[in-house]
Amino acid sequence: MCMLDLFKVVSIKSCANDDIFTLQIHIIKGQRYPLVYHRRRCWYQRNRENVGASSFAPYPQSSAEKRICCWECTEDWDNKDAILLYALLALAELVNHSFSEQNHAEEFLNKRESVKDRLCTTLQEIRDGTYGSGPRRYAAYILSNLGYYGFQDKLGKRLMGAYEDEECSDMRLLFANGNGASVNKVILAVRCPTLLPPKEGAHSGTVQEIRMSANVDTLALVKLLEFAYSGYVEVESSTLKKLKTLARHCKTKILLQMLCRGRPKWGSSIPRIDLPLALTPKLIHFSDVILVPKETNMASFNCRLCSSTSPHAHCHRFILSSGCEYLRALFRSGMQESHLDRLKVPVSWLGLTKLVNWFYCDELPKPPSGCRWTNMDTDAKLQELQAYVEIYSLTEWWIMEDLQNDCAKVILSCLESARELSIKTIELAASFSMWKLVEAAAEHAAPIYHQLRDSGELDELDDELVNLIRTAAVQFSQQGG
Ligand SMILES: [Zn+2]
Ligand SMILES: [Zn+2]
């Protein structure tokens, strides 16, 4: 038997900079996993001085790194899960190498359905999991060779759910074949701006109809819209070319890059649906509802869109509906409130900005951390905490369980780092009748119960609440605290 059948070596040079590293993959028949050898230092080792240590770096921190301890490294390309990244790099090369004679990996793998399914499932788990950006991007890159483009996240699933709900839409695209799709101008403006008719006016409350040219391939357009809403699309090779043309025309850069199967740039971030773009001055005129916080004593407030001088936030019903079943029902209920363009939200201005951020990014902004948090005075810390308690209380009413859990996590971690806030938090939570939160805060106060009692801090508190803390303190000491 020829030696080559037994032993196959693929040498890879890094795509980013051929000085960085090379890998050798040895595929030996009968062995389930290829052997991978490093040949050079990895990027992280070479650049460690420049990027700072990752959170779990096993190296002692230098004084320079200590000075930037509040600097948050948001992108973790290859620090995290480095070995996984190299394995994926190797796999990407294998996929390219093995299928270079065939035009499509797809066709090849169709003959091996079960292998393909297992491979795809694993890659999808990496792509949408909590791995570093490098492995996630490479998993997506390999998947794009198999017909799956983009990333699946909560925001995309949320928007896709609302997309399928025609009652939310403010525009209808009419296809040449007689069918059509109900869409939202704000999503088109953010994701594929050239699909919008020129001179798009302000919100008018009616559904605008746009007839599409017969030159536009309907299936490609449907796929493009799917990607616009969800950030993810599955495309058969027969539609690929038409979709590429359309994506180029519609300036959907992210999709176009994926369709062209370009290698991810080293260090590039995970592409996201950039919904906050809808809140920028250029696109804010698509907004159709105003959120108004509780009375505030804010000195001055300037809005770029209207002349109102009290704090408020211009938002989009469609996006609010997508994240909150309660608002979705409210907007379509036909009740008086559903037609109002102002919606009062019982949270402070700080709370409202965090809430809006959640609706547009599907992420609750975190309070300042590190030295910035430590250096904040108690009032400022309390203001932060109050914002989260208010949102927590609101989620009970608006039925937003995920957001509520996120709030609880933030509140408890704040209390963890500043126990002195627990009494105020207990008062605050009690005023909102949030008893689960009161109990959790009481548990945080338990270890310093005697200190609190002696300093007289408990005197202002309701007897019932003091009892609660005392009980928690007794339990704490019984558990050997
Ligand atoms: Zn710091
Ligand atoms: Zn305004």
Side-chain angles (χ1 to χ4, degrees):
M1 196 183 286
C2 169
M3 190 60 189
L4 275 175
D5 287 339
L6 289 170
F7 197 78
K8 187 175 179 185
V9 178
V10 186
S11 281
I12 299 159
K13 277 190 175 176
S14 153
C15 54
N17 173 350
D18 48 22
D19 185 34
I20 290 173
F21 65 86
T22 50
L23 286 178
Q24 278 199 342
I25 310 154
H26 299 251
I27 303 146
I28 298 164
K29 266 206 178 150
Q31 189 167 326
R32 282 184 66 187
Y33 305 102
L35 301 168
V36 182
Y37 296 107
H38 283 254
R39 279 298 138 110
R40 295 250 177 100
R41 288 184 302 164
C42 74
W43 183 87
Y44 176 60
Q45 283 167 334
R46 275 162 42 91
N47 292 283
R48 212 177 78 78
E49 297 80 22
N50 305 335
V51 295
S54 63
S55 51
F56 55 91
Y59 309 96
Q61 285 197 336
S62 72
S63 58
E65 279 160 0
K66 260 186 211 146
R67 244 189 295 126
I68 51 165
C69 71
C70 291
W71 175 65
E72 273 177 59
C73 182
T74 46
E75 281 309 322
D76 206 351
W77 226 79
D78 63 344
N79 293 358
K80 204 180 159 201
D81 312 311
I83 302 299
L84 178 63
L85 175 62
Y86 298 141
L88 288 170
L89 267 162
L91 182 61
E93 288 308 321
L94 268 181
V95 169
N96 282 345
H97 184 86
S98 310
F99 306 134
S100 54
E101 289 106 68
Q102 274 126 335
N103 275 336
H104 294 289
E106 230 174 298
E107 288 161 27
F108 177 83
L109 279 170
N110 279 341
K111 294 177 199 145
R112 294 173 165 76
E113 261 328 310
S114 68
V115 179
K116 184 187 173 184
D117 285 350
R118 263 185 297 158
L119 180 65
C120 288
T121 310
T122 309
L123 288 171
Q124 278 160 353
E125 276 167 18
I126 296 168
R127 183 193 63 194
D128 303 321
T130 53
Y131 297 93
S133 302
R136 292 186 60 199
R137 288 223 58 164
Y138 260 91
Y141 167 64
I142 300 167
L143 282 165
S144 72
N145 283 284
L146 305 170
Y148 306 94
Y149 302 90
F151 293 80
Q152 285 184 297
D153 61 13
K154 264 166 64 196
L155 182 62
K157 284 181 190 154
R158 220 177 81 183
L159 293 176
M160 200 58 196
Y163 170 44
E164 279 153 11
D165 178 4
E166 290 198 2
E167 284 188 54
C168 292
S169 76
D170 56 4
M171 193 166 165
R172 187 147 175 89
L173 302 179
L174 300 171
F175 304 153
N177 67 2
N179 293 341
S182 297
V183 294
N184 304 84
K185 291 177 190 172
V186 57
I187 297 293
L188 298 192
V190 170
R191 303 283 282 165
C192 34
T194 50
L195 267 188
L196 277 179
K199 277 199 200 158
E200 183 45 52
H203 167 68
S204 60
T206 54
V207 175
Q208 194 179 357
E209 291 195 339
I210 302 290
R211 197 164 292 281
M212 302 306 295
S213 145
N215 296 329
V216 177
D217 184 82
T218 305
L219 184 59
L221 182 58
V222 169
K223 291 287 176 188
L224 182 91
L225 290 173
E226 201 180 318
F227 183 81
Y229 278 82
S230 71
Y232 174 77
V233 70
E234 293 173 19
V235 187
E236 306 268 331
S237 45
S238 53
T239 316
L240 196 60
K241 209 177 148 205
K242 287 171 193 154
L243 184 55
K244 253 190 227 176
T245 312
L246 191 61
R248 191 172 294 123
H249 176 77
C250 294
K251 298 195 170 151
T252 313
K253 255 197 233 155
I254 299 170
L255 178 62
L256 189 61
Q257 276 165 6
M258 289 174 187
L259 293 173
C260 293
R261 294 174 183 159
R263 274 172 197 284
K265 249 168 102 186
W266 203 266
S268 57
S269 54
I270 304 288
R272 309 191 56 157
I273 302 174
D274 193 10
L275 268 195
L277 207 61
L279 299 172
T280 57
K282 208 177 136 200
L283 297 181
I284 192 70
H285 60 277
F286 288 111
S287 72
D288 53 4
V289 66
I290 296 171
L291 301 186
V292 185
K294 283 195 306 203
E295 294 281 319
T296 47
N297 43 12
M298 225 155 107
S300 67
F301 184 86
N302 282 321
C303 178
R304 292 189 192 229
L305 196 63
C306 70
S307 56
S308 167
T309 52
S310 56
H312 62 276
H314 294 266
C315 291
H316 308 79
R317 284 165 188 254
F318 166 70
I319 293 167
L320 299 180
S321 304
S322 76
C324 174
E325 208 48 56
Y326 170 85
L327 290 179
R328 191 164 174 164
L330 177 77
F331 290 144
R332 60 201 288 179
S333 65
M335 289 193 308
Q336 197 193 0
E337 270 174 302
S338 69
H339 302 297
L340 290 179
D341 59 356
R342 294 172 82 84
L343 187 68
K344 282 190 183 148
V345 187
V347 299
S348 61
W349 173 240
L350 182 64
L352 188 67
T353 55
K354 289 182 192 291
L355 184 69
V356 169
N357 197 297
W358 183 86
F359 273 109
Y360 286 75
C361 304
D362 210 82
E363 223 177 85
L364 184 65
K366 294 204 168 67
S369 61
C371 303
R372 284 211 290 140
W373 173 255
T374 318
N375 294 337
M376 271 164 71
D377 61 29
T378 309
D379 272 354
K381 281 181 186 169
L382 263 178
Q383 242 176 27
E384 280 286 331
L385 253 178
Q386 183 173 344
Y388 292 103
V389 175
E390 286 165 352
I391 299 173
Y392 184 99
S393 157
L394 182 75
T395 57
E396 195 100 320
W397 176 28
W398 281 11
I399 322 165
M400 299 163 80
E401 215 176 300
D402 286 355
L403 180 57
Q404 185 168 66
N405 291 336
D406 289 352
C407 277
K409 265 184 232 158
V410 172
I411 294 166
L412 295 182
S413 79
C414 285
L415 291 180
E416 200 75 57
S417 63
R419 285 190 192 277
E420 70 274 15
L421 299 182
S422 32
I423 299 302
K424 289 279 178 201
T425 311
I426 290 169
E427 272 183 305
L428 200 61
S431 73
F432 282 103
S433 308
M434 314 264 55
W435 301 111
K436 261 198 291 185
L437 201 57
V438 172
E439 274 173 35
E443 275 169 33
H444 275 83
I448 52 165
Y449 170 70
H450 294 287
Q451 214 176 307
L452 291 168
R453 189 191 53 193
D454 297 344
S455 68
E457 249 196 275
L458 296 178
D459 299 350
E460 299 159 27
L461 217 56
D462 227 54
D463 285 347
E464 200 186 333
L465 297 177
V466 176
N467 275 334
L468 224 120
I469 304 172
R470 193 186 299 125
T471 315
V474 170
Q475 273 169 3
F476 177 75
S477 63
Q478 278 170 353
Q479 282 156 11

